[in-house]
Amino acid sequence: MNAVRAPSILPGFGMTLGFSTFFLCAIVLIPLAALVMRTATMGWEEFLAIVLDERAVASYRLSFGAALLAAFINSVFGFVVAWTLVRYEFPGRKLIDAFIDMPFALPTAVSGIALTAVFAENGPLGQLLAAYGIRVAYTWVGIVVALTLIGLPFVVRSVQPALLEVQRDLEDAAETLGAGRFYTFRRIILPTVLPALLTGFTMAFARGVGEYGSVIFIAGNLPFETEITPLLIVIKLEEFDYAGAAALGFIMLVISFVMLLSINLLQAWGRRRMVAAGR
Amino acid sequence: MAGGPSKALLAELATRPGRDTLASTATKGAFIAVSLLFLAALLFAPLVMVFATALSKGVLPYLQSFQDADTVAAIRLTLVTAAIVVPLNTVFGIAAAWAIAKFEFRGKSVLITLIDLPIAVSPVIAGLIYVLLFGIQGWFGLWLQEHNFSIIFALPGIVIATLFVTLPYVARELIPLMQQLGNDEEEAAITLGAGGLMTFFRVTLPKIRWGLVYGVILCNARAMGEFGAVSVVSGHIRGLTTTMPLHVEILYNEYNFVGAFAVASLLTLLAVLTLVIKTLVEWRTGYRKR
Amino acid sequence: MRTAAVLAMLALACLAGCSTDDQGARVELLNVSYDPTRELYREFNDAFAREWRERAGETVRIKQSHGGSGSQARAVIDGLAADVVTLALAYDINSIQERGKRLGAHWQSRFPYNSAPYTSTIVFLVRHGNPRGIRDWPDLVRPDVTVVTPNPKTSGGARWNYLAAWGYALHRGLDGDWSKLDDPAAEAQVAAAREAAARFVAEIYRHVPVLDSGARGSTNTFVQRGVGDVLITWENEALLAIESLGPNQVEIVVPSVSILAEPPVAVVDTVVDRKGTRQVAEAYLQHLYSPEGQRIAARHHFRPRDPEVLAEHRAKFPELELFTVGEVFGGWNRAHEEHFAENALFDRMLRASRRAGAR
Amino acid sequence: MSITLDQVTKRYEGSTVVNDVSLEVGEGEFFVLLGPSGSGKSTLLRAIAGLTGVDHGRIALHNQDVTHLSARERGVGLVFQNYALFRHMTVADNIEFALRVRRMRRAERIARRKELLRLVALEGMDDRLPTQLSGGQQQRVAVARALAHKPQVLLLDEPFGALDAKIREELRRTIRQVQRELKITTVLVTHDQEEAFALADRIGVMNLGRLLETGRPDELYARPATRFVATFLGAANLLLARQTPQGIHFGAMPVNARLAERLDGGRSHEVVAVLRPEEIELAPTRDTLKTNYIAQGVVEETIFTGALERMRVRLDHGSTGAQLAATDGNAGASIIEVTRTQHEHRTFPVSLGQAVAIGVRRIHVLPTPLSSYTAWAPDAAAAARLAEHPFLAELAARMKTRIACRPEPALDNPIDSDVQLDNISGVAVIEAHPEAIDRIEWLLHNGAGEVMVLPPLAGAPHRVLIHWADDSARRSTLAVAASLLRHVTAEAVYLGILPQNVSDTQRPMGVRSLLDARSEAQAVHGLDMRTELRFGVAAEELRRQLEDAPEQMLILGISDLDALHEGYGPLFAGATRHAMMVVYRPAGEAAGQQLIGEERLAMSES
C-alpha cells in the first residue's frame, strides 16, 4: 500500500483498502481501461472527427442540457419534497417517503414506457397538457421529465438528512434576531443545505447524462433534436463501429468523472473546514 | 434515510407563538400540495399506469402471466443475479466505507469518485466495456472461448454488468454515515483489547446496520431493475438470459401489455415490499436514521 | 438477520441449481433472430422439434433470441453462440461473415431463394377508416400527414422502409422502367431520378415526429400512443398489429410499388462445427422451405416462397409491383455503403434537412 | 417589571415540562435560573424568547403581553449553548445579521459591530469565519450577535456548557461586565450552582418543572425552604429531628438551642433539619465540643482538597443517635458530610476509624410539614410490603427521606382498641381498605398529622386535587400540598365546593375564598395552582372529579374528626385507584399555624 495515511490505531486499513481497490479495479477500472484503450486505437484526428461531429455535439447539448435542466428541476422540487417530508406531519407521509426510492427500483425501461403512456397526447396527463399546447412525449420536454424521475431520489435523499441535521438552533437564532422565515430560509437554511443539495444535483445530473432505457421510449429520437448521446452510442454499436462508440463513451466518461471529482473535492474541502471548526 | 421529524419537534413547532397563523398554515398547505402534485405527476402516475395496465384484463390474466415458463425463468434469473451481486457489493461497500471513513490517506477523493463513477457511466457503456473485454473480439475473448468459458451472453456477464451498475449504492450509503459517527467507539473497543473483526461486528455493525440495510435495499432494487447494461451483455436468449426488465421489454414488444406490466408490477412490488419491511423495522426499533 | 440472508441466498442457489435440466442426450440449437419473427419461430420450433424427433429420433430444443437485427448480429459477432441466424437483412449476416468470420462468404447461396425462405413487403398502416385518405407513397409527403417509421440506423425494418420509399421515387423517375438503371444512355435520367428520390425520401423523414429504435416500438407508438397518420412497416407486422391490437383501430393500405423484403437465414459455421450441430441446424433451416414451414410462415403473415402455399393465402397477400434490393441497389453491401453507413446519404439527408429546418 | 411570567405551563406529549411558573424579573437584574437537567429551565427560557409556545399562562416583557408574539417580534437577545453561529458567515456578518434584517445603514452597522466587538474583546476578528475561532471566542461572538439589535432582555441558555473551566471563568466575567455596562435585564440558565452564585443578582431554582424558590444567593443558601434547594445549592446533611415546645431533639438528644420562632404552633412533631458540612464541629469527646453536641461518630473517609478537608463521618446509632432523613435504602449508611478548614484540621487532626463527638454550630429547620413516612399495617409483612409501594418509594426517594415500618395489630380493629400511642412521626401511610376511614380516624386521634391512603395500583399523579372541609384547615393543607407538589410533576387544582342550595349572596364569598387561597399558596409557599368552584355535596363532587381521570391524587384538609367521618367516609370506602391524603390539624392549633411558611429559623450558637 503506497498510500500515505495519517496514523490510526484502528486495524484493517490494509485489508479493506486492498480489497476495495482490488474490487474496484476488477469491476470498474480494468473494463473502463478497455474502453480507453479501444479509443486509443484510433488516430487523434479520427477521434476528434467522431466526438466533434455535428450530430454528436447536438446530442451532447441535449443530453447534458436535459440532464442539467432535470437536475435543476429536481433541486427545486426535490428540495420542496424533502422539506415537506422532514418538516410537516400529514397523513401518508411515511408512505410517500418510502415511494421516493421507487425510481431506483423501477426498471428504467418500465419507467420510460409508463411515462410515455402517461404523457403521450392520448395519455391522461398528456391530454391535459396538450389542451394548453404543451407536448411532452417525443419532445425534449419528455426527456427532461424522464430524467427528472430518474434523478429525483438522488436529490431528495441527499437533502433529507441535511435538513434533519440543520441545527434547530440556527433557525431559532435567526428568528430571535428578527429574521422573517423567508429571510432565514435564504440566508441560513439554504447555505447550510447547499452542499447536500449540490451532491444530489450532481448525482442526478450524472445519472441523467448516461440514462438510456427510459429516455428512448419517451424521446422522439430524431437526430439533432431528440437524440441523446447514449442512443448515438447504441447507433454506433449497431454499425459495428466499436471505436466510435468507445470514443463517445470516453468523452461522456471524462466529463462525468471530472464533474464527480470536483464535487467530491469540494465536499472534502468543506468537511475539512467543518472539522477544523470542531477543534 | 426515511427519517422523519420527531413528534416532539413538530409539536413544538406547531405551538410556537406566531406559528399557527394563516400565513404559516397556507405555507404548509402549499408545500404539501406542491410536493404531492409533483410526485403525483412524476412518480405516482407512471406507477398507477403500470398497475392499471397489468390489471386491465382482470386479476386472473394478471396472475396467469406469472405461470409462463419464460417469465418464471426470468424471475429466477433476476433473483439469482441479485443473490450473487448484493452480497458481493455489500462486502465491498463495507470494506470501502471502512477504509474511507476510518482513515485519512492520500487519494481518498479519487477513490470516492471512482466508487461514484458507475452511477455516472451510461448503462450502455457499462455493458459495452464488458463486451470489449470478454467478447470474442475482446481482450480475453479468444482465450475464454478456447477454454469454453462463457461470460457475456451468459449468467456471469449479467452478474458482472449488474455488479458494475450497483457497485456504488452500499458504499455511498455507508461512507457519510460512518464519517459522521466517528471513530471514538471503535478506538475504545481496540484499547479494550478487541480485535478488528470483533470491533467491527460488535461495535461498528450495530451502529450502521440501518444505513447498511438501506444501502442493501437500494442495491438490491437496482440490481433487479437494471436494464441498459444487462441488455447489452445478455444475448436476449428467451428463458435463459433474459432478466425481468428484459422480459418486460420482450413482452411489451409482443403486444402482451398485461404480461409486460405484470412483470413490471412484480418488480415494483418487490421494491415496495423491501421498503415496507425497512419502515416496519425502523418503527419497531424506534430507530431514526441520522 | 444475517443468518436469514445467508439462508435465503442458499435457497436461491438451490433453486438455480435444481432447475438445470438433466435430461442428458438432447440437442440444443440457438436461433438468433430479429423482433418480428417471435411468433413465427415459437410455432415453427415446436413443429421442427416434432419433425426431428420423428426423423432422427433425437430431442431438439431450440432456444430463441430476439432483438433489433443489427444488435443481434453484433451479439453474434461478439461471441453469442448462435447455431443459426435468421435476421432482417442480408447485410447483417454479411457483417457476421466479414467482421466475425463466423461463416462462409457464400452463405447466401446455400439455401434456395437467396437463403430467404419467406418474404414480406413494406406497406402502410393507417387509422381506421383511413381519415387522411392515404393511397400511395406521394400521400406521405402531404403537409397534413405525419409519418411514423423507425430509425434506419438501429432498425433493419426501417431500412426496408427507407429503400422502399427510395425505390418508389426512383421507379417514378425512371417511368417505371428498371432497365434504365443499367442503360448508359439513360444516365442523365437516372441521375435526375436519384436526386428526386433523395429529395422524396428526405421529405418523408421531415414528416416523422418520432424515430423509434425498432419496428415494434414504432408500432406501439403509432397504435398505443396515437402518434402519426401513417406507419410504414412490414406487411407481416401490419397484419400482426391488426390481429393482436384489434381490427377496429387500424387498417392496411398497400402502395402501388414496394420492395421485396427478403429476411435471410444462415448456419453459423464456427458454432455448429464446434458444437457438432451442423446436421440438425441445416435441417432446421431447410424445414423452413417445407410445405409445413411455409404454411407456418404464411400463418404468421410472411409471404411464403412456395407458390402453392402462397395461393392458399392469396387474399391476405395482395399482388403489387415489387422490386428487390439486388435489382435496384446492387445488393445490401452497396445499399449500406451508399445509404446507411456513417456519413452516407441518410446522415447527409438528416443534416441537410436540419439546416433547412434551422432556416 | 422587565419580565413577568404568570402561571406559565408547558406540556410535551402529556408530561408537564414547565408547571405553573410565575416569576418577575426587575429592570437591569441578572437573574439565574438554576436546576438539574430536565427541570424545565431551558424550556422556560425558550418560552420567554418565543421559541416555544406555552399551554397556559402569560408572558410579559416590559409590561407588554408578548404571549402570542413570535420570537422575531419580541426583540430579545438569545445566546445558545452551542453558539448557533452561522458557519458560512464571517464574524462581521454574524453580528450584523440582526441589523441587516432591520435594514440598518452600512455605516451604522459597521459602527455598531465595532462597538460590540470591543465590548466582548474581539477587536479585529471581523473577517474570521466561526470555524477559525476557539470555543470561547465563538461564544463571545454569539453574545455580541445577541446584543446587536439592542434587545431589552438578554437570555443565555447554558452559555458556558461546552467550555473548559478557565475560559468559562473569563467569559463569566466578560458577560457580567457587559451586563453591568449595558444595564440589560438578563436571564441565564445553568445547572452549575457555582456559576449561579458568581453571576446572579437573584437565583430561581427549578426542579420537575416547578420554580421552587427564588431569592438572593446568600439567602437561599442560608435559609432554603425546601429539601431540593437545600441540597442542590451546596452540600447539606438532612437530619430528622423532633420539635417540641422545649426545642429541637435529635433522637433522644435535646439540642440546647434557642429557636427564633416556634414551628407549627406548640405541637410536638418531626421536622427536617439542614446541617451544612462547614457548620459541623468535630472534637475528641463530647466535653471538648464548643458547640451543641448531637451525636457520636466514626470517621470513614477524609479527602484533602486544598483549602478544605472533606470527610464522611458515620453516625453512631447508640441510644442517642440522631437520624438522617435519607438513608439511601441501606439502613446502616448513616453518613454525614463534614468540611473543615486547615485551621480546624491543625487544632484536631483526625485519622480514619477514629471516634469523634459531633457538634453543630447552626441548624436550619425546613418549614416543610412532610418529614418522613411510616407504613402502618396490622402485621410486619404487610407493613414491609406497603413500604415497597412504587409510588411511596419514589416519593421518599425524591424527598430524600425514609420510610419506617410500623406493624400495629390495633389497626385491624381500631374502634375497639384502647391502645394509646406516642410519637407518631411523619406521614402515616396505610393501604386502601373498606374500613380505611376508621383507621384514619384512629391514627389522627392518636396524634398523626397526615395520613395517606395508598391503593396498590396508585402511581405518580398527573393532577393533585386540593380541598379542605373548612377554612381553619386551609393553611396546613396548603403547606402539605405545596411540600408534596415540589416532588411530583403534577398540576395542582384547588377545588372549592359550595352546597347546591347556597344563596346568591353567598356565592361571591366562595369565589373570594378561592382567590384568597390561591394568592396565599402563591405568596407563602410559592405554589401556583388552578382553582375551580363547584356546587354540590363535597364528597360526591370529589369522587366525581377523581373518577374523571386516572393518575390523580387528593389532599383533603380537615380540622374536625367528626366531620371527616360523616362527610367524607364514603370517599375512602369504595374501591379507588387514587392516593388520598388527609391533613388534620385540630381547630385549636389553628392559631399557631399562622407561622407556617415564615418559619425560617436559625439556631444561635450557644
Side-chain angles (χ1 to χ4, degrees):
Chain A
M1 209 59 42
N2 52 10
V4 181
R5 65 160 176 128
S8 163
I9 68 160
L10 293 180
F13 175 72
M15 197 185 77
T16 55
L17 187 69
F19 174 72
S20 30
T21 314
F22 164 76
F23 200 76
L24 261 180
C25 283
I27 301 295
V28 178
L29 279 187
I30 295 178
L32 285 180
L35 179 77
V36 177
M37 296 293 281
R38 181 58 78 114
T39 314
T41 56
M42 69 172 75
W44 185 240
E45 277 174 31
E46 197 188 342
F47 175 75
L48 282 185
I50 288 171
V51 301
L52 293 181
D53 175 67
E54 206 178 345
R55 192 162 150 200
V57 171
S59 79
Y60 305 149
R61 200 158 47 226
L62 180 70
S63 268
F64 285 86
L68 207 63
L69 188 59
F72 183 74
I73 292 173
N74 266 331
S75 301
V76 176
F77 286 95
F79 186 93
V80 171
V81 170
W83 179 272
T84 308
L85 290 178
V86 168
R87 288 299 168 90
Y88 302 126
E89 181 67 69
F90 55 95
R93 187 182 64 86
K94 277 216 170 302
L95 191 73
I96 288 174
D97 195 52
F99 266 100
I100 296 292
D101 288 323
M102 286 312 301
F104 277 144
L106 216 55
T108 50
V110 174
S111 353
I113 293 169
L115 273 179
T116 314
V118 171
F119 284 102
E121 272 181 60
N122 61 1
L125 284 178
Q127 272 173 347
L128 231 67
L129 292 169
Y132 298 96
I134 305 170
R135 287 183 57 231
V136 177
Y138 310 118
T139 66
W140 63 269
V141 183
I143 301 177
V144 173
V145 168
L147 296 186
T148 309
L149 176 70
I150 298 298
L152 177 72
F154 288 100
V155 175
V156 177
R157 290 303 185 220
S158 314
V159 172
Q160 245 178 337
L163 270 182
L164 272 174
E165 259 172 48
V166 169
Q167 285 181 35
R168 304 275 334 156
D169 281 1
L170 291 186
E171 278 170 68
D172 290 348
E175 200 182 337
T176 57
L177 293 171
R181 267 187 293 162
F182 183 68
Y183 193 86
T184 307
F185 174 78
R186 192 162 58 87
R187 293 292 307 267
I188 309 298
I189 297 174
L190 204 55
T192 315
V193 178
L194 204 60
L197 194 61
L198 205 62
T199 309
F201 178 89
T202 319
M203 298 312 296
F205 176 59
R207 180 90 165 76
V209 167
E211 178 53 25
Y212 174 73
S214 63
V215 176
I216 51 159
F217 285 99
I218 201 169
N221 299 327
L222 291 178
F224 299 106
E225 282 172 41
T226 48
E227 185 178 65
I228 54 169
T229 314
L231 177 62
L232 210 54
I233 295 176
V234 171
I235 290 176
K236 296 263 182 223
L237 286 178
E238 304 290 305
E239 288 167 356
F240 316 113
D241 180 5
Y242 286 21
L248 288 179
F250 178 69
I251 282 291
M252 290 186 77
L253 197 64
V254 167
I255 298 176
S256 303
F257 182 79
V258 167
M259 229 159 44
L260 285 176
L261 184 65
S262 45
I263 289 299
N264 281 332
L265 285 175
L266 199 71
Q267 291 228 310
W269 175 73
R271 202 164 29 242
R272 266 199 296 280
R273 238 176 41 153
M274 294 295 194
V275 167
R279 299 219 168 103
Chain B
M1 198 175 270
S6 77
K7 281 262 160 55
L9 191 84
L10 286 169
E12 197 213 306
L13 275 180
T15 62
R16 250 186 202 198
R19 283 298 159 108
D20 46 359
T21 58
L22 191 65
S24 76
T25 316
T27 317
K28 175 181 171 181
F31 264 84
I32 294 177
V34 167
S35 298
L36 290 184
L37 272 179
F38 179 71
L39 293 177
L42 203 64
L43 200 54
F44 296 128
L47 281 180
V48 168
M49 194 57 121
V50 168
F51 282 92
T53 316
L55 295 167
S56 60
K57 299 248 166 68
V59 180
L60 211 60
Y62 174 77
L63 293 176
Q64 273 166 354
S65 50
F66 295 116
Q67 287 172 352
D68 178 52
D70 292 339
T71 305
V72 172
I75 294 171
R76 194 163 52 214
L77 177 64
T78 301
L79 290 180
V80 168
T81 306
I84 300 171
V85 165
V86 174
L88 273 176
N89 270 340
T90 305
V91 173
F92 165 76
I94 292 171
W98 182 273
I100 286 169
K102 301 284 176 206
F103 303 96
E104 286 300 325
F105 56 93
R106 202 175 284 168
K108 196 157 135 173
S109 283
V110 176
L111 191 63
I112 298 177
T113 307
L114 283 178
I115 292 174
D116 281 349
L117 203 57
I119 291 183
V121 171
S122 179
V124 176
I125 297 178
L128 168 65
I129 55 180
Y130 293 109
V131 172
L132 292 181
L133 272 187
F134 303 119
I136 197 108
Q137 307 194 320
W139 291 359
F140 307 119
L142 276 177
W143 186 87
L144 285 170
Q145 197 192 25
E146 276 164 23
H147 294 80
N148 253 328
F149 287 127
S150 42
I151 290 193
I152 54 169
F153 310 123
L155 182 65
I158 294 172
V159 167
I160 294 176
T162 311
L163 262 183
F164 180 93
V165 175
T166 58
L167 178 110
Y169 289 90
V170 176
R172 271 190 67 76
E173 199 52 43
L174 288 186
I175 291 170
L177 182 63
M178 280 166 75
Q179 274 173 342
Q180 195 201 338
L181 289 171
N183 290 354
D184 297 354
E185 289 169 52
E186 283 80 2
E187 281 169 359
I190 298 289
T191 54
L192 291 172
L197 280 181
M198 183 171 171
T199 306
F200 174 75
F201 281 110
R202 302 295 291 274
V203 179
T204 310
L205 195 59
K207 282 196 297 180
I208 61 167
R209 64 176 185 270
W210 299 120
L212 185 64
V213 165
Y214 186 70
V216 166
I217 283 172
L218 276 192
C219 179
N220 181 55
R222 195 86 179 76
M224 289 186 175
E226 177 50 29
F227 172 75
V230 172
S231 167
V232 175
V233 297
S234 122
H236 298 97
I237 305 170
R238 230 186 137 107
L240 206 66
T241 61
T242 52
T243 60
M244 282 164 82
L246 296 180
H247 198 62
V248 171
E249 196 207 16
I250 288 175
L251 292 172
Y252 185 75
N253 277 339
E254 284 173 3
Y255 308 121
N256 183 356
F257 303 122
V258 170
F261 282 98
V263 177
S265 74
L266 189 64
L267 278 164
T268 314
L269 284 176
L270 278 175
V272 170
L273 190 71
T274 47
L275 293 174
V276 164
I277 290 171
K278 173 184 138 259
T279 314
L280 275 182
V281 170
E282 275 176 14
W283 174 69
R284 280 291 295 272
T285 55
Y287 162 85
R288 274 202 321 121
K289 192 170 158 286
R290 287 181 192 163
Chain C
M1 185 168 212
R2 223 175 309 135
T3 2
V6 171
L7 284 178
M9 256 159 58
L10 283 176
L12 280 173
C14 286
L15 201 68
C18 303
S19 68
T20 333
D21 301 285
D22 46 5
Q23 295 176 5
R26 56 187 293 175
V27 193
E28 275 200 354
L29 286 183
L30 174 59
N31 177 6
V32 172
S33 189
Y34 65 117
D35 270 328
T37 60
R38 293 166 192 278
E39 294 79 10
L40 164 64
Y41 281 109
R42 195 195 297 241
E43 191 180 344
F44 176 75
N45 289 348
D46 288 345
F48 175 73
R50 219 178 305 118
E51 154 83 17
W52 188 251
R53 199 164 41 242
E54 282 164 19
R55 181 145 45 114
E58 207 174 19
T59 307
V60 63
R61 193 180 144 203
I62 299 118
K63 292 181 293 178
Q64 265 313 131
S65 169
H66 292 280
S69 183
S71 66
Q72 292 293 80
R74 186 182 51 75
V76 174
I77 292 170
D78 280 325
L80 182 58
D83 299 88
V84 297
V85 286
T86 53
L87 294 177
L89 310 175
Y91 173 74
D92 289 326
I93 301 183
N94 281 341
S95 300
I96 297 174
Q97 184 257 315
E98 282 167 22
R99 289 163 199 269
K101 308 273 182 254
R102 311 291 298 268
L103 38 75
H106 302 292
W107 61 270
Q108 210 160 7
S109 56
R110 293 217 199 132
F111 292 97
Y113 302 111
N114 283 332
S115 288
Y118 40 78
T119 66
S120 188
T121 185
I122 299 303
V123 298
F124 306 148
L125 207 58
V126 298
R127 309 228 167 265
H128 185 63
N130 198 359
R132 298 278 180 194
I134 311 286
R135 295 278 164 262
D136 202 355
W137 289 101
D139 294 322
L140 302 192
V141 295
R142 285 200 330 241
D144 60 333
V145 173
T146 52
V147 180
V148 175
T149 177
N151 190 343
K153 304 282 269 192
T154 53
S155 157
R159 294 189 186 182
W160 288 112
N161 296 352
Y162 173 100
L163 293 180
W166 181 281
Y168 161 79
L170 199 65
H171 185 258
R172 192 171 55 177
L174 299 176
D175 310 318
D177 186 1
W178 293 119
S179 64
K180 284 181 184 168
L181 279 175
D182 303 319
D183 185 359
E187 207 172 306
Q189 194 187 0
V190 170
R194 278 184 200 279
E195 246 174 66
R199 274 200 305 278
F200 178 74
V201 174
E203 187 60 32
I204 287 181
Y205 278 95
R206 265 199 286 279
H207 287 254
V208 176
V210 180
L211 275 179
D212 280 291
S213 54
R216 288 282 162 99
S218 278
T219 313
N220 275 324
T221 302
F222 180 74
V223 180
Q224 295 296 110
R225 309 282 160 253
V227 173
D229 302 309
V230 192
L231 175 74
I232 312 177
T233 185
W234 314 80
E235 184 182 44
N236 54 300
E237 280 292 283
L239 288 166
L240 177 70
I242 290 176
E243 183 186 285
S244 52
L245 300 172
N248 296 330
Q249 287 195 36
V250 286
E251 56 187 61
I252 293 178
V253 170
V254 181
S256 59
V257 179
S258 194
I259 197 163
L260 179 70
E262 297 177 293
V265 298
V267 170
V268 183
D269 294 335
T270 56
V271 176
V272 292
D273 289 346
R274 190 154 49 88
K275 285 170 67 183
T277 48
R278 177 176 290 279
Q279 198 195 356
V280 60
E282 280 175 354
Y284 175 74
L285 292 185
Q286 202 65 56
H287 193 64
L288 281 168
Y289 291 89
S290 72
E292 186 186 20
Q294 291 284 296
R295 278 199 185 89
I296 292 173
R299 254 205 302 286
H300 289 282
H301 318 302
F302 288 90
R303 293 186 175 216
R305 291 287 194 179
D306 190 322
E308 266 181 43
V309 181
L310 182 62
E312 289 167 20
H313 291 85
R314 197 70 261 182
K316 194 154 130 189
F317 303 117
E319 275 185 275
L320 71 160
E321 188 175 349
L322 295 170
F323 56 89
T324 66
V325 179
E327 282 165 13
V328 178
F329 300 95
W332 262 108
N333 282 12
R334 259 189 70 193
H336 180 82
E337 283 302 307
E338 276 178 31
H339 294 274
F340 306 118
E342 184 74 28
N343 285 324
L345 256 168
F346 180 69
D347 280 351
R348 291 208 298 275
M349 187 187 295
L350 285 174
R351 214 159 285 160
S353 71
R354 174 168 179 262
R355 289 206 190 91
R359 251 184 273 123
Chain D
M1 279 299 129
S2 200
I3 302 173
T4 311
L5 305 183
D6 181 22
Q7 288 201 292
V8 170
T9 298
K10 173 73 190 170
R11 298 184 199 93
Y12 277 139
E13 293 173 5
S15 69
T16 313
V17 184
V18 175
N19 199 346
D20 260 338
V21 170
S22 297
L23 172 70
E24 294 197 332
V25 180
E27 194 69 50
E29 189 176 17
F30 200 122
F31 189 87
V32 174
L33 268 177
L34 179 65
S37 51
S39 60
K41 54 190 192 307
S42 281
T43 307
L44 189 60
L45 193 82
R46 289 173 66 83
I48 299 174
L51 295 175
T52 298
V54 297
D55 294 308
H56 179 79
R58 321 184 65 74
I59 297 169
L61 298 177
H62 299 97
N63 301 321
Q64 186 206 350
D65 189 331
V66 297
T67 315
H68 298 293
L69 286 190
S70 73
R72 59 184 294 242
E73 294 161 309
R74 293 194 189 184
V76 298
L78 179 57
V79 176
F80 295 82
Q81 177 168 14
N82 294 313
Y83 328 132
L85 290 180
F86 307 135
R87 291 215 191 159
H88 56 285
M89 295 185 190
T90 61
V91 168
D93 285 338
N94 263 288
I95 294 177
E96 287 177 30
F97 186 85
L99 308 177
R100 274 182 211 272
V101 170
R102 290 169 173 76
R103 301 185 190 286
M104 190 184 270
R105 290 214 323 279
R106 191 178 134 81
E108 281 177 64
R109 266 192 347 238
I110 293 174
R112 178 85 183 130
R113 184 227 303 168
K114 298 278 181 211
E115 183 192 330
L116 285 163
L117 281 175
R118 200 207 72 247
L119 203 63
V120 297
L122 281 179
E123 289 108 321
M125 301 281 199
D126 308 57
D127 294 328
R128 302 273 186 98
L129 282 171
T131 49
Q132 297 165 315
L133 300 179
S134 72
Q137 287 171 324
Q138 290 191 47
Q139 194 58 292
R140 282 163 197 268
V141 175
V143 171
R145 184 179 70 178
L147 290 170
H149 55 295
K150 299 193 173 161
Q152 287 168 304
V153 172
L154 178 62
L155 306 172
L156 302 119
D157 187 2
E158 305 242 9
F160 314 119
L163 301 172
D164 59 56
K166 195 157 175 283
I167 294 174
R168 201 184 276 219
E169 210 157 299
E170 198 181 298
L171 201 54
R172 235 181 246 168
R173 215 171 297 129
T174 312
I175 284 184
R176 194 70 175 120
Q177 245 163 27
V178 170
Q179 195 263 341
R180 292 228 173 87
E181 196 172 323
L182 301 179
K183 295 189 181 62
I184 182 171
T185 309
T186 304
V187 177
L188 180 143
V189 158
T190 183
H191 60 267
D192 181 349
Q193 46 122 347
E194 193 188 316
E195 199 162 285
F197 284 148
L199 287 167
D201 292 328
R202 217 149 53 92
I203 294 177
V205 182
M206 284 191 79
N207 189 34
L208 299 173
R210 282 186 193 280
L211 183 61
L212 296 181
E213 292 180 61
T214 59
R216 291 209 325 270
D218 52 336
E219 256 174 30
L220 278 187
Y221 184 75
R223 282 185 287 281
T226 60
R227 294 160 207 264
F228 182 80
V229 174
T231 49
F232 194 73
L233 276 183
N237 299 299
L238 296 184
L239 273 73
L240 289 181
R242 189 147 198 86
Q243 191 211 0
T244 63
Q246 286 74 43
I248 301 220
H249 293 248
F250 286 105
M253 184 59 56
V255 178
N256 185 12
R258 266 187 307 111
L259 293 172
E261 296 128 301
R262 279 188 198 164
L263 277 172
D264 206 357
R267 198 166 72 97
S268 159
H269 70 291
E270 195 180 54
V271 292
V272 179
V274 178
L275 275 69
R276 294 284 180 196
E278 67 273 16
E279 304 287 2
I280 293 172
E281 190 202 357
L282 300 182
T285 61
R286 186 173 172 178
D287 302 332
T288 46
L289 273 177
K290 296 193 194 85
T291 54
N292 293 304
Y293 170 78
I294 57 166
Q296 283 294 129
V298 177
V299 177
E300 283 256 305
E301 186 185 308
T302 65
I303 303 166
F304 174 70
T305 63
L308 296 171
E309 179 191 35
R310 288 174 48 196
M311 325 181 156
R312 289 157 67 80
V313 179
R314 177 184 295 275
L315 291 182
D316 187 352
H317 276 294
S319 51
T320 60
Q323 283 216 299
L324 250 92
T327 54
D328 289 339
N330 52 9
S334 307
I335 296 213
I336 58 168
E337 277 188 54
V338 180
T339 54
R340 301 201 303 170
T341 60
Q342 287 291 326
H343 170 74
E344 286 172 288
H345 173 71
R346 277 191 299 274
T347 329
F348 172 45
V350 294
S351 51
L352 287 185
Q354 188 173 343
V356 290
I358 303 166
V360 63
R361 298 186 185 95
R362 185 180 172 279
I363 299 174
H364 168 65
V365 175
L366 293 179
T368 173
L370 299 182
S371 49
S372 65
Y373 294 93
T374 307
W376 290 77
D379 60 75
R385 217 168 41 240
L386 183 58
E388 276 164 22
H389 189 285
F391 174 47
L392 182 60
E394 194 188 336
L395 207 54
R398 285 193 180 171
M399 287 171 68
K400 297 187 171 60
T401 193
R402 62 199 178 87
I403 306 166
C405 290
R406 266 188 91 160
E408 184 52 74
L411 267 184
D412 252 352
N413 200 351
I415 296 172
D416 296 344
S417 171
D418 296 331
V419 186
Q420 284 290 316
L421 300 162
D422 51 51
N423 277 358
I424 291 190
S425 52
V427 179
V429 183
I430 59 169
E431 253 198 312
H433 189 270
E435 265 96 53
I437 189 69
D438 298 330
R439 299 180 173 185
I440 296 169
E441 263 186 281
W442 184 77
L443 283 163
L444 294 178
H445 183 73
N446 270 300
E450 300 88 14
V451 178
M452 180 153 77
V453 184
L454 210 51
L457 290 176
H462 287 167
R463 190 162 80 142
V464 174
L465 295 177
I466 303 162
H467 175 73
W468 42 85
D470 58 279
D471 244 17
S472 51
R474 182 170 86 191
R475 293 238 145 162
S476 45
T477 313
L478 277 177
V480 169
S483 289
L484 186 88
L485 280 162
R486 283 182 193 123
H487 302 100
V488 292
T489 52
E491 293 168 33
V493 179
Y494 166 60
L495 220 51
I497 303 170
L498 290 178
Q500 195 80 50
N501 54 2
V502 73
S503 67
D504 279 356
T505 49
Q506 279 178 301
R507 288 189 180 215
M509 291 292 288
V511 176
R512 206 181 132 194
S513 91
L514 216 60
L515 294 177
D516 282 353
R518 198 191 129 190
S519 58
E520 182 184 326
Q522 203 169 46
V524 179
H525 305 286
L527 169 73
D528 260 308
M529 59 182 198
R530 229 92 57 66
T531 52
E532 279 174 32
L533 187 60
R534 305 271 158 171
F535 296 92
V537 179
E540 280 174 18
E541 199 56 41
L542 288 174
R543 177 190 292 259
R544 193 169 307 138
Q545 286 290 318
L546 284 174
E547 275 165 6
D548 212 29
E551 265 111 53
Q552 294 191 82
M553 182 173 175
L554 171 68
I555 296 178
L556 175 65
I558 52 161
S559 58
D560 179 0
L561 279 182
D562 296 337
L564 173 70
H565 196 98
E566 283 158 26
Y568 299 95
L571 203 54
F572 297 93
T576 169
R577 301 166 291 172
H578 309 287
M580 290 187 264
M581 189 186 271
V582 180
V583 180
Y584 168 62
R585 297 290 185 277
E589 291 180 16
Q593 288 175 5
Q594 297 298 330
L595 284 170
I596 292 180
E598 293 117 61
E599 52 197 340
R600 291 181 176 157
L601 74 160
M603 197 183 71
S604 60
E605 275 181 50
S606 61

